[in-house]
Amino acid sequence: MSCSASTKCLLVFFNAIFLLIGLVMFAVGLTVHLNAEFSQKAFSSFVDKLDEAAKEAGKSVDTSDFNIAEVVGSITIVLIVLGLVIAIVAFLGITGATCCVKHVLIVYLVITLVLFLAQLIMLLIFVIDRSVYDDAVKPALKDTIQEEFTGFEGNDAPSLIWNALMIELKCCGVDSYRDFTGAKKWSDGLSNGGTYVIPRACCEEINNDKTCTNGIVDADNNKNTGCYEKLYDYVVSDAVVIGAAAGVLGFQLLLLILTIVILKTAAAVEPDF
């Protein structure tokens, strides 16, 4: 069966890029998931930051039992599955274009179209109202504070992650210090009979002076600066998300057009195709 050589080459080229991306995602996810030492080194800066802050405050935080794999485990699974899906779809595109197999190209076309429409809907929701995604993510993050956070000296994974994050980004909680109100495992008592209004990691300066934890003076703490927006702006931004999504959608639209052209060209040359 014959297909347009230039169209076929373009489809193979773009799918080769997606195949490479998928394999890289799969490899990274699998490496982090199975290699605890690798993941520990990758996130060691956060733990080091917490250790440094604890020493300045005259405290010692035991991080020897900290296992980052417990925290990023679900993320690695997503990377593995997503990378595998991308690689398989790209392989179908390469196989269908190279051998010009009608049924393989149709399967590839349908899968790509479904993914394209799903991502387009998700992008439109994000552009129109990002709070739809925020409202799905924030409650889960706040639950880790309410159910797991034990305080500045906690050596469990959730406490270490939250403390390191709040110290590094100079923020407090998901939205503010109010996220810690009523936290089940957080001891908010001071030795002098007072109470912590905000966690110590939310203080501007971590030291033996705990007066900032009363939350009275806003200048010496970050109680009203949420970590969710801080982390979002630190890692990405609306423009980056929209730009990246639009770029991926543009590629997928091009792939759809190329696939349709190949199918039409082949059908015109060979009516039985």
Side-chain angles (χ1 to χ4, degrees), residues 117-194:
L117 292 175
Q119 291 171 75
L120 180 61
I121 292 171
M122 292 172 65
L123 177 60
L124 289 174
I125 292 173
F126 182 87
V127 172
I128 295 170
D129 186 8
R130 201 193 94 188
S131 64
V132 173
Y133 295 99
D134 296 341
D135 292 343
V137 175
K138 284 185 177 182
L141 295 175
K142 291 181 180 182
D143 281 346
T144 63
I145 292 176
Q146 288 294 315
E147 302 294 333
E148 304 295 337
F149 185 76
T150 57
F152 188 71
E153 298 178 26
N155 61 0
D156 57 291
S159 297
L160 288 170
I161 287 291
W162 272 113
N163 286 325
L165 191 65
M166 292 188 291
I167 292 170
E168 179 70 22
L169 299 182
K170 294 190 178 299
C171 55
C172 193
V174 179
D175 290 318
S176 73
Y177 73 98
R178 294 181 181 86
D179 296 328
F180 294 91
T181 302
K184 296 177 181 179
K185 296 182 180 181
W186 178 40
S187 175
D188 60 357
L190 291 168
S191 58
N192 62 7

Side-chain angles (χ1 to χ4, degrees), residues 1 20 26 28 36 46 48 50 62 69 75 91 112 142 149 156 159 164 166 183 199 210 242 247 250 255 264 273:
M1 299 176 186
L20 181 61
F26 177 79
V28 170
F46 280 103
D48 292 342
L50 180 61
D62 182 14
I75 299 176
F91 180 74
T112 305
K142 291 181 180 182
F149 185 76
D156 57 291
S159 297
M166 292 188 291
K210 301 177 184 178
I242 294 172
L255 294 175
K264 283 192 166 237
F273 176 72

